[in-house]
Amino acid sequence: MVDETRRKKRLDRSIKVRTEGLYAISSGAEMFYLILPRAALIVGLLALPLFLDMYWQKVLCAAGVYALLSLGFDFLAEYVGLVCLGGAFFIGTGGYISGLLNSYFGWSGLLCIPIATLGGAIFSTLVFIPALRLRGIYFAIISFMFPIFARDIITTLNIFGGTEGISALGTLPNVWTEIYLILLAVIIALFAIRRLVNEDIGLILRGIKDNDQAVKASGISITSYKIKAMFIASLLGSFGGAYLSHKYGWVGISLFAMDFSILPIAASVMGGMGSLAGPVLGAFALTPLSEALRGFGQLRVVIYCFILIGFIVYKPEGLLIYFQRKYHQFELWEKV
Amino acid sequence: MKEAPLLKVVNISKAFGGVQAVLNVSLTLEKGDILGIIGPNGSGKTTLANLITGFVRPNRGTVLFKGHNITRTPPHKIANLGLTRTFQVMRPYNSLSAYKNLIVPLKSPRVRQTRGGKLGDTDAVALDILEEIGFERDARVPYKIAGSLPLGYLKRLELGRCFALDPEVIICDEIFSGLSMSEITSMIPLMERLQIEGVTLIMIEHRLRELFRLANRVIVMNFGQKIAEGIAQEVMEDPKVKKAYLGRERS
């Protein structure tokens, strides 16, 4: 029941106001206020594996890969205006390049992953270039097709091991390298992209999202900037794919699975679109959840949907923005 | 020998499906001109602007700018040559503040070239341009999100985006439409100053009285064709123009 005699009023906390601009360095309290959420994220992520058993550590690694994908998805969708459903393509190309290098040349995983990250990103970007002239839903549909094409090409031509995939790849030295490699990658990627969107290139990308015609009229080639953005996002995905291939010691067509394209959307909605840290948070919440619901089998998707719908209806802003508001503002009831 | 005109459009045509939007239109523009393009709704004025600036590719005809053929050049390259435009439907970056809207054009290759890489603080340059286009009256306006600004400011912001490129030609697509009389009167000096600074203007307008104060030459279009060209008052006496505007010939 809605009480019509009073309403909720939100006000910024005074410390929030004080930490804007130069005053942020005026005292320890202000600096602590600014550093706390960032430090909580970093320390929280890095300390988390110490409290988990082996099974959940593996889940955490998978969540890290999804976090990278969600970060890339959010960056492309909210800062460039490209709704990219081709996350699985990045994972697949990164994974296959790393797997092939490892099995043909016998290079170690730690050498293959950087090469595959770069190579996969270049390859994915080249493949996506023809689609970049499209916008909105049209780009989304085309990008969704790429992983499906790739999977079908591999199975029908029976290349790269066909449906069997390539197994017996070199794995990473030990479980701690596995965990901290992906967690550090997530943290570095998150802060790098947050920095990037506030630089000049980020400004131009946001301009393209708001109004690509005006960017053209300003003498800036929108295609070249879209290519750069695509490269950055596919860099994250390809790293995730290369990492997965060495974590499992196997690459196969399941790297092109639809999960990699779809879960980032759910994670972004849950975490808060456009907040960058939100989708990362969303991925770290959703992946364990889907593991916990493994017992339900196919019914999992239904539960997923309910969670998504619940967020869209009751908390459309997403988790991160909700927490942010609680942190920065206080609420009071006032009489109407 | 006479110098080649700044902008020369020869027999340009464009059809959208069965609709002949622009048919065999030619025009020349000398440095320092203010050329008005008028005509009833749907007569192809905006399409002509789109054809010149490369946003729409013509079926036939050529566009020469400073002697270069720019007929099939992409719009961002044309803008970098110094031929820029405003949009009839304003196209601000809605999620960015007004001054950030001007940072985007300041990052274009043309600006890097003309200002010799010594641009210094782009924020300061952007604020200078805002002052030039009359944003200084309210100190908070430059920091407001462009999506929340009223129409008059957005029209000026469109001009500001062109100024940032340090252009040689600006095509203003109905820059006065929807503005109040006082807003227009405050904008006319801006246009006049542009002319003094040596910027050439093409103005597509429906507000004839204001246009005729500025333009030294006028082209009248109807059904995609150029039906008259000349000095404003003379053109309006042309029977074909009267017919286009009033629907029938007066005796």
Side-chain angles (χ1 to χ4, degrees):
Chain A
M1 214 182 80
V2 183
D3 186 356
E4 284 179 356
T5 57
R6 55 182 203 160
R7 67 176 170 212
K8 207 187 252 178
K9 192 177 174 186
R10 295 199 182 99
L11 285 172
D12 280 3
R13 288 178 204 283
S14 54
I15 190 159
K16 197 239 164 186
V17 182
R18 283 204 302 279
T19 50
E20 282 163 2
L22 200 60
Y23 299 108
I25 51 169
S26 59
S27 82
E30 273 82 4
M31 282 195 271
F32 179 74
Y33 179 82
L34 278 181
I35 290 167
L36 182 67
R38 294 161 174 82
L41 178 80
I42 297 173
V43 174
L45 267 187
L46 292 181
L48 199 57
L50 305 175
F51 303 103
L52 298 174
D53 62 16
M54 234 174 77
Y55 174 73
W56 288 106
Q57 280 176 345
K58 293 236 180 281
V59 175
L60 189 69
C61 293
V65 174
Y66 282 116
L68 284 177
L69 279 175
S70 310
L71 186 60
F73 173 82
D74 194 38
F75 167 65
L76 282 183
E78 289 293 308
Y79 292 90
V80 197
L82 296 169
V83 179
C84 179
L85 303 182
F89 191 79
F90 307 147
I91 294 277
T93 37
Y96 267 97
I97 290 177
S98 194
L100 289 169
L101 288 177
N102 184 268
S103 72
Y104 285 115
F105 301 107
W107 296 347
S108 83
L110 290 176
L111 179 66
C112 288
I113 289 177
I115 297 174
T117 305
L118 209 62
I122 292 169
F123 182 75
S124 308
T125 313
L126 288 178
V127 169
F128 270 85
I129 284 176
L132 285 178
R133 60 179 60 226
L134 299 172
R135 266 184 297 174
I137 189 80
Y138 307 103
F139 178 79
I141 293 168
I142 296 285
S143 65
F144 192 66
M145 300 305 293
F146 282 126
I148 298 171
F149 285 158
R151 197 193 60 202
D152 287 352
I153 288 170
I154 289 170
T155 49
T156 49
L157 296 183
N158 205 14
I159 44 172
F160 309 146
T163 42
E164 316 262 289
I166 310 165
S167 48
L169 301 179
T171 47
L172 294 166
N174 57 49
V175 67
W176 297 111
T177 343
E178 257 178 36
I179 295 169
Y180 282 102
L181 184 63
I182 192 75
L183 289 181
L184 280 176
V186 170
I187 292 168
I188 292 170
L190 174 60
F191 283 92
I193 289 195
R194 270 170 58 116
R195 170 67 76 87
L196 183 92
V197 296
N198 288 315
E199 294 283 319
D200 293 341
I201 174 171
L203 204 63
I204 293 170
L205 291 176
R206 282 155 74 184
I208 291 174
K209 192 210 168 202
D210 279 356
N211 219 315
D212 53 355
Q213 300 286 306
V215 179
K216 279 189 203 165
S218 302
I220 291 167
S221 163
I222 60 168
T223 316
S224 77
Y225 275 89
K226 280 182 177 176
I227 290 172
K228 282 174 198 163
M230 201 65 195
F231 179 76
I232 291 163
S234 50
L235 214 53
L236 302 179
S238 298
F239 175 83
Y243 167 81
L244 277 185
S245 72
H246 291 285
K247 180 173 170 291
Y248 297 140
W250 174 82
V251 291
I253 47 169
S254 68
L255 285 182
F256 288 109
M258 226 192 285
D259 285 21
F260 293 116
S261 305
I262 300 299
L263 195 130
I265 309 174
S268 299
V269 170
M270 191 169 164
M273 292 285 281
S275 58
L276 295 177
V280 171
L281 200 71
F284 278 109
L286 262 185
T287 322
L289 191 73
S290 92
E291 279 305 315
L293 297 175
R294 193 165 276 274
F296 290 95
Q298 281 301 311
L299 210 59
R300 243 181 351 167
V301 180
V302 180
I303 297 170
Y304 250 36
C305 289
F306 277 124
I307 294 172
L308 256 188
I309 293 170
F311 266 98
I312 290 170
V313 173
Y314 296 106
K315 283 276 167 280
E317 60 211 356
L319 283 176
L320 188 91
I321 307 215
Y322 175 78
F323 289 140
Q324 237 172 18
R325 206 179 59 222
K326 293 281 172 208
Y327 189 65
H328 287 314
Q329 297 178 320
F330 60 89
E331 288 162 355
L332 50 95
W333 291 96
E334 64 168 13
K335 282 218 158 59
V336 179
Chain B
M1 203 183 93
K2 199 164 164 283
E3 208 183 335
L6 188 59
L7 180 72
K8 191 174 168 71
V9 179
V10 187
N11 285 331
I12 207 158
S13 300
K14 176 72 191 180
F16 295 110
V19 182
Q20 189 71 46
V22 171
L23 183 64
N24 287 333
V25 173
S26 302
L27 61 89
T28 53
L29 195 65
E30 302 288 345
K31 192 170 163 52
D33 270 355
I34 296 187
L35 172 69
I37 299 181
I38 61 173
N41 289 332
S43 58
K45 305 181 296 292
T46 297
T47 306
L48 184 61
N50 283 338
L51 287 169
I52 294 172
T53 48
F55 281 84
V56 171
R57 286 192 174 185
N59 300 127
R60 268 176 292 123
T62 43
V63 184
L64 297 165
F65 180 61
K66 292 193 286 184
H68 305 286
N69 188 342
I70 56 163
T71 317
R72 283 172 204 290
T73 312
H76 67 268
K77 288 198 177 140
I78 294 179
N80 276 317
L81 290 171
L83 170 55
T84 177
R85 63 165 312 174
T86 70
F87 291 95
Q88 182 180 3
V89 181
M90 284 87 51
R91 296 176 185 278
Y93 310 123
N94 284 321
S95 66
L96 302 179
S97 62
Y99 93 91
K100 292 257 183 193
N101 264 263
L102 295 180
I103 306 276
V104 175
L106 287 174
K107 297 296 168 192
S108 66
R110 177 178 174 80
V111 176
R112 226 175 298 147
Q113 230 171 46
T114 53
R115 306 202 190 203
K118 299 190 293 272
L119 189 56
D121 190 3
T122 40
D123 287 359
V125 178
L127 291 175
D128 279 352
I129 294 169
L130 284 174
E131 202 177 310
E132 220 176 317
I133 56 174
F135 268 51
E136 81 287 349
R137 278 176 294 178
D138 184 345
R140 285 164 308 173
V141 169
Y143 304 99
K144 280 193 182 154
I145 299 294
S148 70
L149 291 177
L151 187 82
Y153 279 115
L154 291 181
K155 293 269 180 187
R156 287 158 184 275
L157 199 59
E158 283 278 313
L159 261 187
R161 198 191 59 229
C162 295
F163 287 5
L165 283 174
D166 220 346
E168 287 174 54
V169 178
I170 304 180
I171 301 181
C172 301
D173 196 350
E174 298 202 9
I175 197 105
F176 293 151
S177 68
L179 296 187
S180 70
M181 211 48 230
S182 68
E183 281 173 317
I184 293 175
T185 9
S186 72
M187 253 169 111
I188 285 180
L190 199 66
M191 300 301 199
E192 286 168 343
R193 209 173 71 233
L194 274 178
Q195 192 185 21
I196 294 165
E197 283 170 8
V199 179
T200 311
L201 291 171
I202 295 180
M203 301 191 65
I204 298 172
E205 258 326 314
H206 278 301
R207 308 288 289 245
L208 300 184
R209 192 174 304 131
E210 291 77 25
L211 178 69
F212 292 164
R213 267 179 64 187
L214 290 165
N216 52 10
R217 211 148 48 83
V218 174
I219 285 177
V220 189
M221 288 183 72
N222 196 22
F223 294 116
Q225 286 174 307
K226 186 167 85 175
I227 56 171
E229 179 172 5
I231 299 163
Q233 281 71 18
E234 286 175 14
V235 161
M236 290 316 283
E237 291 304 313
D238 191 311
K240 275 189 286 185
V241 176
K242 281 187 174 165
K243 191 183 171 196
Y245 267 90
L246 301 171
R248 62 189 159 82
E249 271 181 272
R250 287 192 298 181
S251 53

